[in-house]
């Protein structure tokens, strides 16, 4: 197992990407194959998503602090899972780049996210399975 620490907003981007891809494979279902990162991280994702949704409705400052100042610690069971995360981060990077090119959303915020995801992608390249 290899421990992976990511800032909450990065985890959200990764999980939303995986969730979107999972929905495309099986419309109406959020399940992913056993052994996939989405399957293994799903419980943590559901818990965090509920917390963010609640904070978003009642406490913007706490929501922002959770998104920007907290980390999620998850595990990758093997090299295949690390590679799955890396490929997902690649797709997030492409999506952010496309949004910036089309000037959809706040370019400054998207540029910050793009830079952070590129740093995460480099960190993933340096991970080894323990």
């Amino acid at each position: 197992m290899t421990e992976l620490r990511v800032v909450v907003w990065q985890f959200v981007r990764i999980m939303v990407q995986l969730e979107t891809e999972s929905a495309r494979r099986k419309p109406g279902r959020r399940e992913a194959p056993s052994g996939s990162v989405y399957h293994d991280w799903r419980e943590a994702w559901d818990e965090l998503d509920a917390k963010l949704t609640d904070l978003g409705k009642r406490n913007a400052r706490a929501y922002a602090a959770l998104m920007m100042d907290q980390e999620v610690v998850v595990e990758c069971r093997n090299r295949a899972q690390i590679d799955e995360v890396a490929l997902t981060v690649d797709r997030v990077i492409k999506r952010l780049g496309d949004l910036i090119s089309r000037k959809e959303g706040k370019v400054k915020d998207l540029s910050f996210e793009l830079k952070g995801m590129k740093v995460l992608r480099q960190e993933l390249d340096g991970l080894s399975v323990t």
Side-chain angles (χ1 to χ4, degrees):
M1 293 275 198
T2 299
E3 184 177 274
L4 179 61
R5 295 177 161 273
V6 294
V7 181
V8 168
W9 70 263
Q10 292 174 318
F11 183 73
V12 169
R13 281 284 188 188
I14 291 166
M15 293 306 289
V16 167
Q17 181 69 36
L18 289 170
E19 193 170 67
T20 300
E21 292 168 9
S22 180
R24 284 186 196 135
R25 282 192 299 270
K26 297 183 181 184
R29 294 184 64 196
R30 290 175 56 197
E31 294 180 28
S34 180
S36 70
V37 169
Y38 184 68
H39 180 269
D40 285 1
W41 296 356
R42 176 75 185 277
E43 188 176 327
W45 168 236
D46 287 343
E47 184 179 315
L48 178 62
D49 188 37
K51 187 172 186 175
L52 286 167
T53 299
D54 179 54
L55 285 175
K57 291 176 184 175
R58 60 182 182 81
N59 189 335
R61 184 170 290 165
Y63 174 89
L66 178 58
M67 286 288 275
M68 304 307 290
D69 300 332
Q70 300 290 319
E71 290 183 328
V72 175
V73 180
V74 289
E75 290 185 337
C76 292
R77 290 194 269 160
N78 50 39
R79 184 78 232 168
Q81 283 194 335
I82 294 170
D83 293 344
E84 181 183 356
V85 175
L87 289 172
T88 302
V89 170
D90 287 341
R91 289 189 291 273
V92 170
I93 288 169
K94 181 179 181 336
R95 171 108 173 98
L96 290 170
D98 290 347
L99 291 171
I100 291 167
S101 294
R102 293 190 308 261
K103 294 183 173 55
E104 292 181 26
K106 296 180 180 178
V107 173
K108 182 179 177 184
D109 293 345
L110 293 172
S111 296
F112 167 82
E113 290 186 46
L114 180 60
K115 182 179 177 184
M117 294 305 285
K118 286 180 176 180
V119 169
L120 175 59
R121 181 60 177 87
Q122 289 176 331
E123 291 171 0
L124 290 168
D125 283 342
L127 281 182
S128 60
V129 180
T130 55

